[in-house]
Amino acid sequence: MSELLRFDDVYKSFGDERVLEGVSFGMGRTDVEVVVGPSGSGKSTLLRCVNRLTEIDDGDIYLDGDSVHAMDVDALRRRVGMVFQGVNLFAHRTALGNVTLGLRQVRGMSKSEAREVAEANLERVGLADQADSYPAELSGGQKQRVGIARALAMEPELLLFDEPTSALDPELIGEVLGVMQDLAADGMTMLVVTHEMGFARSVADTLTFLDDGRVVERGPPERLFERPDEERTDQFLGRLDA
Ligand SMILES: Nc1ncnc2c1ncn2[C@@H]1O[C@H](COP(=O)(O)OP(=O)(O)OP(=O)(O)O)[C@@H](O)[C@H]1O
Ligand SMILES: [Mg+2]
């Protein structure tokens, strides 16, 4: 299987603080990779470097074999979608309007074409009947799902998720994870930062434990949970999985 994303000895510091210290790993197309690690270990920074919301200091990141630093940033961001913890929807636009905006402005679609694509993607996240609702009328889980639909509508090759459920009430987490699970089953390539260990165990192909900006251990989730090589992995996953 061809590699879609590769981190090659990536370094990043903020001032004196070294946040990523030589991160290297790759993901194949259709892979789902979950990254876990303590607060401040560099997980968000790692994701942000992929679509160049953060620029790295050293090393390189390749998307389908090409350095992201050689790409036009807008072109890169059309290929790599991102869903954050609390997605920002435009309050004065409906769910449908939030999804069509990028299709109109970035993809240059006609109004009717954008509407069709947006409706299909809202349906994909289970929100076909909320297309005309405004963000204030949606639950946190529904808002996150609109954010996913918005990212999906751009037909990204890779989706980055940074703790997409961590701001949600417990009863709403499952609906968002369910959508992500469906996307994984449909073959979407996903790099996901989450503390949801049930999702990691059942959906991830690979689990990466990041600590102090370094990959401590990486492998199939069941191996990291059952037979980790590193004591530190055992301690960390044991705590999350309790
Ligand atoms: N733009 C920035 N400017 C300065 N320091 C930053 C910046 N972004 C991140 N950092 C620092 O880099 C370190 C890693 O941050 P990062 O957000 O990547 O961690 P994280 O693993 O995502 O943590 P959390 O689990 O709390 O989200 C932290 O010490 C953070 O304060
Ligand atoms: Mg973070």
Side-chain angles (χ1 to χ4, degrees):
M1 198 189 299
S2 73
E3 209 167 57
L4 182 62
L5 182 68
R6 166 143 299 267
F7 296 94
D8 181 17
D9 209 18
V10 171
Y11 283 80
K12 175 66 187 179
S13 297
F14 291 108
D16 292 341
E17 193 192 354
R18 304 187 89 178
V19 175
L20 297 176
E21 293 207 61
V23 173
S24 295
F25 67 86
M27 292 175 62
R29 262 179 215 283
T30 77
D31 281 358
V32 177
E33 174 123 8
V34 166
V35 177
V36 294
S39 182
S41 57
K43 304 179 300 294
S44 295
T45 303
L46 186 73
L47 294 194
R48 292 168 57 84
C49 289
V50 176
N51 61 2
R52 291 176 56 193
L53 292 168
T54 297
E55 296 283 4
I56 64 176
D57 298 328
D58 206 357
D60 214 336
I61 300 173
Y62 298 93
L63 183 66
D64 202 14
D66 297 321
S67 168
V68 297
H69 299 96
M71 289 177 201
D72 173 68
V73 173
D74 293 331
L76 171 67
R77 290 180 190 162
R78 280 196 291 274
R79 296 174 64 182
V80 180
M82 192 158 181
V83 178
F84 299 87
Q85 181 175 121
V87 302
N88 271 320
L89 300 178
F90 290 100
H92 60 285
R93 284 176 163 267
T94 62
L96 188 90
N98 271 278
V99 180
T100 54
L101 190 63
L103 295 171
R104 301 271 285 139
Q105 292 184 346
V106 180
R107 300 287 289 270
M109 285 185 186
S110 70
K111 208 168 177 174
S112 63
E113 194 183 2
R115 186 181 180 92
E116 204 172 301
V117 171
E119 281 173 347
N121 281 286
L122 285 170
E123 181 163 0
R124 208 167 165 192
V125 301
L127 288 177
D129 53 355
Q130 300 287 342
D132 296 325
S133 299
Y134 287 87
E137 302 168 319
L138 299 172
S139 71
Q142 288 171 330
K143 279 188 267 202
Q144 284 303 89
R145 287 190 281 148
V146 174
I148 294 173
R150 180 172 62 183
L152 277 178
M154 305 300 283
E155 296 184 34
E157 290 165 64
L158 170 68
L159 268 183
L160 309 172
F161 289 88
D162 193 358
E163 303 200 31
T165 62
S166 58
L168 298 179
D169 292 337
E171 69 272 21
L172 300 179
I173 290 174
E175 66 188 52
V176 174
L177 294 179
V179 166
M180 292 168 65
Q181 182 157 11
D182 291 345
L183 295 180
D186 283 350
M188 177 61 71
T189 313
M190 300 165 38
L191 179 57
V192 182
V193 173
T194 183
H195 299 302
E196 295 296 329
M197 290 302 104
F199 177 85
R201 275 177 183 271
S202 60
V203 182
D205 299 296
T206 308
L207 182 61
T208 290
F209 173 45
L210 194 70
D211 195 11
D212 274 340
R214 293 194 173 92
V215 174
V216 174
E217 195 165 352
R218 185 169 177 273
E222 59 273 21
R223 188 187 69 69
L224 262 71
F225 279 106
E226 312 307 334
R227 289 171 280 108
D229 288 332
E230 303 292 331
E231 175 71 26
R232 186 83 190 82
T233 310
D234 198 28
Q235 285 172 359
F236 185 79
L237 292 181
R239 210 181 320 137
L240 283 188
D241 207 28

